[in-house]
């Protein structure tokens, strides 16, 4: 019986996300494959209960997000629209995300800009829409903090990511479609990540149990200073609801804007 319980526990994948557990192998997160060599995850049959396009997330316990290098922005020091590749733990691309925003907002509002991120599957179908309004981002302004709206499929709201005021730590909540808190995300006091990974812990509402994390991987001094290409890993239980995983992807985009958006213009 004890052996069977241990096997069941391993199959759920939860121990890997509890405090003190070893992190998964991330040796592949610095690679930038050429498009012609890109490995795509095969299409999966969609269970009837899942939002269309989110079946790829149903069994994932690790989601890798690569921000694509923008050579024009790197050379000219300008802010261009962000683009991201979203992959599974095998390095297979499951989604591609593109930011839609106007040049005025990118230039004058910079990392606070209002924008929409459209997440598409391998067939080009939009499966997730992330809407970000123009809001404040300061511990001195506790009203009107950052918030994202998550739609899956587009037009159907499934959740929100909301910043919570705290004088010392970056804190956020994952909310359902009714704006009821589901999970909390707590970041470190210092998010610069100059010489190591930056981890945002995913916790239960009472903050007593850590069930996962969102990590910004350190890609080396040269990459961090001279490009705006960031790499993230979302570690969550495999059986977590797919709409919550979609909200986690949106939270990852938000953290990139708020804490890690760099270009030569900012040096």
């Amino acid at each position: 019986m004890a052996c069977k319980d241990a096997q069941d526990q391993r199959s759920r994948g939860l121990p890997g996300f509890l405090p003190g557990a070893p992190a998964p192998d991330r040796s592949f997160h610095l690679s930038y494959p050429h498009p012609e060599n890109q490995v795509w995850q095969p299409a999966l049959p969609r269970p009837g209960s899942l939002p269309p396009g989110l079946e790829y997330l149903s069994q994932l316990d690790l989601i890798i997000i690569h921000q694509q290098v923008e050579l024009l922005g790197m050379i000219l020091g300008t802010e261009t629209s962000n683009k991201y590749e979203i992959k599974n733990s095998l390095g297979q691309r499951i989604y591609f995300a593109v930011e839609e925003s106007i040049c005025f907002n990118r230039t004058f509002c910079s990392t606070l800009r209002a924008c929409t991120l459209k997440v598409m599957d391998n067939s080009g179908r939009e499966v997730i829409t992330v809407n970000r309004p123009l809001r404040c981002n300061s511990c001195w302004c506790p009203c009107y903090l950052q918030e994202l709206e998550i739609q899956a499929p587009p037009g159907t709201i499934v959740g929100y990511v909301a910043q919570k005021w705290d004088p010392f730590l970056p804190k956020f909540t994952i909310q359902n479609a009714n704006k009821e808190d589901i999970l909390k995300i707590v970041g470190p006091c210092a998010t610069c990540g100059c010489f190591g990974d930056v981890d945002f812990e995913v916790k239960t509402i009472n903050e007593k149990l850590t069930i996962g994390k969102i990590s910004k991987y350190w890609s080396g001094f040269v990459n961090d200073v001279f490009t705006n290409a960031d790499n993230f890993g979302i570690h969550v239980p495999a059986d977590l609801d797919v709409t919550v995983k979609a909200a986690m992807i949106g939270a990852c985009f938000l953290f990139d804007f708020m804490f890690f958006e760099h270009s030569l213009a900012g040096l």
Side-chain angles (χ1 to χ4, degrees):
M1 179 64 70
C3 180
K4 183 178 185 298
D5 291 341
Q7 291 176 349
D8 292 341
Q9 190 177 32
R10 286 195 298 270
S11 67
R12 291 193 298 268
L14 290 177
F17 308 103
L18 297 177
D25 179 20
R26 301 193 305 266
S27 60
F28 57 86
H29 76 268
L30 293 180
S31 62
Y32 294 91
H34 297 290
E36 61 270 15
N37 298 326
Q38 179 65 58
V39 179
W40 299 74
Q41 175 171 313
L44 299 176
R46 180 173 67 90
S49 60
L50 298 181
L54 298 193
E55 61 271 11
Y56 297 103
L57 301 177
S58 60
Q59 298 299 320
L60 294 186
D61 56 13
L62 174 60
I63 303 169
I64 303 297
I65 298 181
H66 294 304
Q67 183 179 3
Q68 291 197 324
V69 177
E70 293 293 341
L71 294 178
L72 179 62
M74 184 175 66
I75 295 172
L76 300 180
T78 58
E79 196 65 62
T80 57
S81 297
N82 288 350
K83 299 180 180 66
Y84 303 88
E85 282 188 317
I86 302 171
K87 303 180 180 181
N88 60 20
S89 59
L90 300 177
Q92 297 172 325
R93 184 163 120 178
I94 55 176
Y95 300 123
F96 185 76
V98 179
E99 173 195 351
E100 289 189 352
S101 59
I102 61 176
C103 181
F104 179 89
N105 283 348
R106 293 195 302 272
T107 302
F108 295 100
C109 299
S110 188
T111 60
L112 295 177
R113 61 185 180 267
C115 64
T116 297
L117 289 121
K118 295 188 174 183
V119 182
M120 293 161 283
D121 64 12
N122 295 337
S123 66
R125 175 185 56 169
E126 185 179 350
V127 296
I128 303 172
T129 301
V130 179
N131 292 318
R132 184 198 188 197
L134 178 64
R135 283 177 171 263
C136 299
N137 177 23
S138 172
C139 63
W140 305 110
C141 185
C143 57
Y144 216 62
L145 294 175
Q146 292 291 305
E147 182 178 279
L148 294 182
E149 177 190 83
I150 314 297
Q151 300 178 5
T156 302
I157 298 175
V158 296
Y160 298 87
V161 180
Q163 183 183 10
K164 298 299 181 182
W165 184 84
D166 188 276
F168 305 110
L169 298 175
K171 290 189 176 183
F172 303 82
T173 59
I174 301 294
Q175 302 173 335
N176 62 18
N178 298 320
K179 290 201 169 184
E180 299 168 335
D181 293 347
I182 300 175
L183 295 170
K184 282 190 177 181
I185 303 177
V186 181
C189 182
T191 59
C192 61
C194 296
F195 298 102
D197 297 349
V198 179
D199 293 331
F200 294 78
E201 294 184 334
V202 181
K203 297 176 175 288
T204 53
I205 293 300
N206 57 15
E207 298 188 26
K208 291 184 178 181
L209 179 63
T210 300
I211 68 162
K213 64 180 179 179
I214 298 176
S215 299
K216 193 272 183 180
Y217 298 141
W218 185 57
S219 54
F221 178 78
V222 173
N223 279 342
D224 275 357
V225 172
F226 292 103
T227 75
N228 62 348
D230 296 317
N231 302 286
F232 297 87
I234 303 174
H235 306 254
V236 290
D239 58 355
L240 189 67
D241 188 277
V242 293
T243 59
V244 179
K245 291 181 182 180
M248 293 284 187
I249 293 175
C252 194
F253 296 152
L254 180 61
F255 297 163
D256 186 34
F257 280 112
M258 292 180 63
F259 305 112
F260 309 112
E261 188 79 3
H262 299 296
S263 69
L264 291 178
L267 293 179

